[in-house]
Amino acid sequence: MKIAGLDIGTTGCKCTVFDEQGKYLGKAYRDYPARRAVGSHEIDVSVLMEGVKRRSGQGCPLAHRSY
């Protein structure tokens, strides 16, 4: 069994995978496009959700790898 943690951040989404003993197995990261200006940071929620889908479940290549 593997355990995956999903970090949904303001600039991208990261999936980190560990084995049952807590040994780090790797991570995958994907940026999302954002509009930045002085004092603001805008992300299209549909783009954010697409990034989450790509890093979680079948989109996280590390979750399906044999170690």
Side-chain angles (χ1 to χ4, degrees):
M1 178 171 75
K2 297 180 191 99
I3 301 161
L6 187 62
D7 176 6
I8 304 169
T10 57
T11 59
C13 185
K14 176 174 64 176
C15 177
T16 307
V17 180
F18 302 88
D19 69 10
E20 291 176 329
Q21 288 74 43
K23 179 184 171 192
Y24 170 79
L25 299 176
K27 68 180 175 184
Y29 179 81
R30 183 177 187 93
D31 282 323
Y32 358 93
R35 284 185 273 156
R36 295 174 180 89
V38 176
S40 70
H41 181 95
E42 293 181 24
I43 303 169
D44 180 341
V45 71
S46 63
V47 173
L48 183 140
M49 290 307 298
E50 185 61 31
V52 170
K53 289 176 188 175
R54 288 177 184 244
R55 286 303 117 213
S56 62
Q58 292 183 1
C60 185
L62 302 169
H64 302 287
R65 211 180 273 170
S66 295
Y67 293 90

